[in-house]
Amino acid sequence: MTSNNVGDNNNNIKDDQFETKKFGLPVDTENKATVFPLFSAVNPHMRAFHLCWFQYFTCFLCTFAAPPLLPIIRDNLNLTASDIGNAGVGSVSGAIFARLALGAACDLTGPRLASATVCLLTVPAVFLSSMAGTPTGFFIMRFFTGFSLATFVSTQYWMSCMFSPKVVGLANGQSGGWGNLGGGVANLIMPLLYSLILNKTPASTPFTAWRVAFFIPAFLQMFSAFAVMLFGQDLPDGNFLQMQKSGEMHKDKASKVFYHAVTNYRSWITAIGYGFCFGVELAVTNIIVFYFYDRFNLNLNLAGIVGALFGMVNIFSRSSGGWFSDFMAKKYGIRGRLWGWWGVQTLSGVMCIVMGRLDTLSATIAVMMIFSFLVQAAEGLTFGVVPFVSRRSLGVVSGLSGAGGNAGAVICQVIFFRGSQFKIEDGLTYMGILIIACTLSLGTINFPQWGGMFFGPKPNVTEEDYYIKEWDAAEQELGLHKVSMKFAEGSRNERSSKGKYVSEEDGTRSTAGV
């Protein structure tokens, strides 16, 4: 396949020459925004950003509303250590399959409808959590509430549809980070809500107050779902279903979308990598308040505040990882994104080990903050790479990677923090070792047109060559591959400026701007 000639100095302006003003923001050939003005609400790009991060935030808040109240819930429901561990596993395991399903739904119906549907279907579980009367009932409610974490997939899919490759790492990182912030906010506000309800309302017993507290996050999640449906837009040019009905957009086949995702080995490696950054964050969020409450004899409110610090770092940590991914890509292309991801995630493993070995409160909090920043930044770096694995199956690839995060949480929860097999501090140490070991898998990711951590690109392979493989000859004749070709054109900045590129049109080799 013939590619555009990018082997001369004109390549230096290849991004700018396609930028135009639309919707109030500079956009590329796909009308994706090429800038990311964080505090803007311009429709559709920035409005989609604010809607999706807030929706994911409320889902995170609901899923982790229970852990900061565990000392009270434990006494009310007579929970054993195994019951608490099983509920923690349940809260993160359900989303494994939900994320896979939601990824496919995003590819077929768009992120707006898919995410709002998941939110509305899981809200009843949050309300019913207040009615749990047995350990089994508590487990079931946490299990079904955790399905809402699948909205992470729609968040990342939505941002990848709205923002160009130049800023997609930052957009994905910021939306995911502010969404993950819900875990930290849950640790902070649920003990405060409990105390307020206990002291200022007719709910005069602790066992009534914790139940009433669950209604607040439940109403927030329901509100966010309606907001996404009423004010959101799937793509810069419109909504999936409307564009498919009008013929402006091809309605893809689920079997083809799923096939190209699961047969691309990079999908599985990103899932492993994400399992030991986001999965680690979920596992730690489940136990951090309980850890400080028991190990350092803090009261519930103070333990909640300290535990909240772990999640609150998401205000800037995950977006910092996304920004770092984009920064590395400007000079080193996709290879820079991969090296940055590996380095940050490996350091997070080291900090996890150190945290488990400390026995003083101040030092543990300090190291926890560093560990939190690194593990969350690694999440942002992950989704600086994921959007380039596949264009046709972006949703399913995002779903696989997101499911890997929840699978990693289940693995860590079951092995290290379930029951009394390990003390929590020993579990943290062993988990750190596992992070370092599993992160080595990132070295196997290689894109023929860009290379990988250890090997450069193959000669004469272009972005078009890579992405067109997802479309057969009959589909190409119908022009169904054109969206992928536009994406290929916009993703040329993933070439390393330190590398070399051979133009197929004239056979010349150049290092200018590539």
Side-chain angles (χ1 to χ4, degrees):
M1 180 175 191
T2 302
S3 67
N4 291 339
N5 184 2
V6 292
D8 54 35
N9 289 331
N10 290 332
N11 187 60
N12 291 326
I13 59 171
K14 64 180 185 302
D15 293 318
D16 297 330
Q17 66 186 345
F18 296 126
E19 288 186 7
T20 58
K21 279 279 187 177
K22 194 170 184 180
F23 313 114
L25 294 177
V27 297
D28 63 12
T29 54
E30 294 183 278
N31 289 330
K32 294 182 178 181
T34 57
V35 296
F36 185 71
L38 179 60
F39 298 106
S40 168
V42 172
N43 192 33
H45 305 91
M46 296 310 299
R47 182 182 293 181
F49 163 73
H50 290 295
L51 285 170
C52 73
W53 80 254
F54 180 70
Q55 181 183 56
Y56 184 43
F57 170 91
T58 63
C59 293
F60 227 99
L61 177 64
C62 288
T63 300
F64 292 100
L69 300 181
L70 272 176
I72 308 301
I73 299 173
R74 173 183 59 181
D75 294 342
N76 186 190
L77 303 183
N78 296 316
L79 301 177
T80 65
S82 293
D83 292 331
I84 293 172
N86 288 335
V89 172
S91 68
V92 295
S93 59
I96 295 175
F97 304 104
R99 287 186 168 193
L100 287 171
L102 189 61
C106 286
D107 280 322
L108 299 174
T109 65
R112 172 177 151 271
L113 180 61
S115 62
T117 300
V118 168
C119 264
L120 291 175
L121 287 176
T122 53
V123 160
V126 188
F127 281 113
L128 291 173
S129 295
S130 63
M131 300 176 64
T134 65
T136 301
F138 181 64
F139 171 86
I140 292 173
M141 291 304 102
R142 290 214 68 194
F143 176 76
F144 284 108
T145 299
F147 274 57
S148 66
L149 292 182
T151 52
F152 166 77
V153 175
S154 55
T155 296
Q156 303 300 280
Y157 184 96
W158 210 350
M159 294 299 91
S160 297
C161 288
M162 286 291 181
F163 293 92
S164 79
K166 293 171 63 176
V167 294
V168 71
L170 178 58
N172 276 337
Q174 192 73 60
S175 60
W178 281 10
N180 286 5
L181 189 61
V185 171
N187 284 333
L188 179 65
I189 71 167
M190 291 307 291
L192 297 177
L193 277 175
Y194 162 77
S195 296
L196 181 66
I197 293 167
L198 181 64
N199 297 321
K200 303 295 183 180
T201 73
S204 57
T205 69
F207 296 164
T208 301
W210 78 260
R211 297 173 185 277
V212 176
F214 271 78
F215 280 81
I216 307 302
F219 276 117
L220 282 175
Q221 182 173 316
M222 185 169 61
F223 169 79
S224 73
F226 286 116
V228 165
M229 285 295 293
L230 292 173
F231 304 113
Q233 181 173 303
D234 291 314
L235 300 169
D237 295 322
N239 289 319
F240 262 58
L241 297 182
Q242 293 172 344
M243 295 177 70
Q244 289 170 353
K245 188 176 181 179
S246 67
E248 296 178 69
M249 183 177 179
H250 166 59
K251 187 173 183 179
D252 217 334
K253 295 181 179 179
S255 58
K256 291 286 186 79
V257 169
F258 188 75
Y259 172 81
H260 289 293
V262 299
T263 57
N264 190 325
Y265 81 92
R266 299 167 192 85
S267 303
W268 300 101
I269 303 302
T270 57
I272 293 172
Y274 198 57
F276 291 93
C277 53
F278 180 66
V280 166
E281 182 184 359
L282 290 182
V284 174
T285 300
N286 258 331
I287 57 94
I288 194 68
V289 173
F290 197 63
Y291 177 56
F292 279 101
Y293 179 85
D294 272 5
R295 181 167 171 77
F296 297 103
N297 297 313
L298 302 183
N299 64 47
L300 184 61
N301 284 339
L302 189 54
I305 292 171
V306 174
L309 294 175
F310 180 80
M312 296 293 280
V313 178
N314 269 301
I315 292 175
F316 59 87
S317 57
R318 185 161 181 154
S319 58
S320 296
W323 173 86
F324 185 51
S325 181
D326 291 338
F327 172 80
M328 292 292 284
K330 287 181 180 178
K331 192 168 187 179
Y332 302 105
I334 203 76
R335 303 181 72 184
R337 292 187 190 272
L338 290 168
W339 273 107
W341 181 10
W342 173 84
V344 170
Q345 191 157 311
T346 298
L347 283 175
S348 76
V350 173
M351 288 296 102
C352 189
I353 294 171
V354 174
M355 180 179 168
R357 295 299 87 199
L358 296 173
D359 57 7
T360 60
L361 178 61
S362 58
T364 300
I365 292 174
V367 172
M368 178 194 73
M369 296 292 286
I370 299 171
F371 166 53
S372 176
F373 174 83
L374 290 170
V375 78
Q376 292 158 11
E379 296 163 14
L381 282 149
T382 304
F383 276 82
V385 174
V386 168
F388 300 99
V389 172
S390 170
R391 178 62 185 85
R392 185 175 188 178
S393 304
L394 173 61
V396 179
V397 172
S398 298
L400 278 171
S401 301
N406 283 78
V410 171
I411 291 169
C412 292
Q413 194 84 34
V414 169
I415 296 177
F416 304 122
F417 307 121
R418 180 175 176 269
S420 57
Q421 181 179 359
F422 297 112
K423 294 180 179 179
I424 293 180
E425 54 268 32
D426 293 331
L428 289 168
T429 298
Y430 300 142
M431 185 170 68
I433 295 171
L434 189 60
I435 293 170
I436 295 170
C438 291
T439 303
L440 293 173
S441 65
L442 303 185
T444 65
I445 296 178
N446 188 282
F447 293 87
Q449 74 276 30
W450 299 319
M453 286 176 61
F454 302 109
F455 302 100
K458 292 182 179 180
N460 303 320
V461 177
T462 67
E463 289 77 7
E464 289 83 355
D465 294 332
Y466 177 78
Y467 290 108
I468 203 170
K469 288 181 179 179
E470 297 181 325
W471 303 91
D472 60 34
E475 291 169 332
Q476 291 178 43
E477 287 183 13
L478 295 173
L480 304 182
H481 67 300
K482 290 181 179 179
V483 173
S484 292
M485 294 304 96
K486 282 187 177 181
F487 180 79
E489 186 177 42
S491 66
R492 290 201 180 106
N493 61 324
E494 295 307 306
R495 300 172 184 175
S496 171
S497 63
K498 297 294 184 180
K500 294 183 178 181
Y501 175 77
V502 178
S503 169
E504 291 185 0
E505 293 188 358
D506 59 12
T508 59
R509 183 180 294 271
S510 171
T511 59
V514 297

